[in-house]
Amino acid sequence: MYATQALTDLVPLAAELDKNKVTPGVLGFLVFAALAVGVWLLMKSMNRHMGRVDFVEAPDPDAVAADAAAAGAGTAKQK
């Protein structure tokens, strides 16, 4: 079925509705539901991929140098 054929089938249905009442209708609900399902699937996929990540942070070189200097100064005072 082509999109133009679907639209021509839906136009007579829209004419039957009350023109003073504006609602999203079935099409709005279907679009919202499709978006919700898509977001749910993306979140599920993201959680699965984040679970596979094995991240170990490298130590900061400045912090390591400061710790080594503090440890060296502490041992020099003890002697």
Side-chain angles (χ1 to χ4, degrees), residues 19-36:
K19 295 188 188 278
N20 295 326
K21 183 178 178 183
V22 179
T23 63
V26 176
L27 181 61
F29 173 74
L30 292 176
V31 169
F32 181 77
L35 287 172

Side-chain angles (χ1 to χ4, degrees), residues 13-71:
L13 294 176
E16 296 173 6
L17 297 177
D18 183 15
K19 295 188 188 278
N20 295 326
K21 183 178 178 183
V22 179
T23 63
V26 176
L27 181 61
F29 173 74
L30 292 176
V31 169
F32 181 77
L35 287 172
V37 169
V39 168
W40 181 73
L41 289 171
L42 284 172
M43 292 297 291
K44 188 174 178 181
S45 175
M46 183 191 71
N47 284 333
R48 190 174 338 129
H49 282 87
M50 292 300 286
R52 294 180 186 167
V53 173
D54 186 24
F55 178 73
V56 178
E57 187 173 350
D60 186 18
D62 296 334
V64 172
D67 289 342

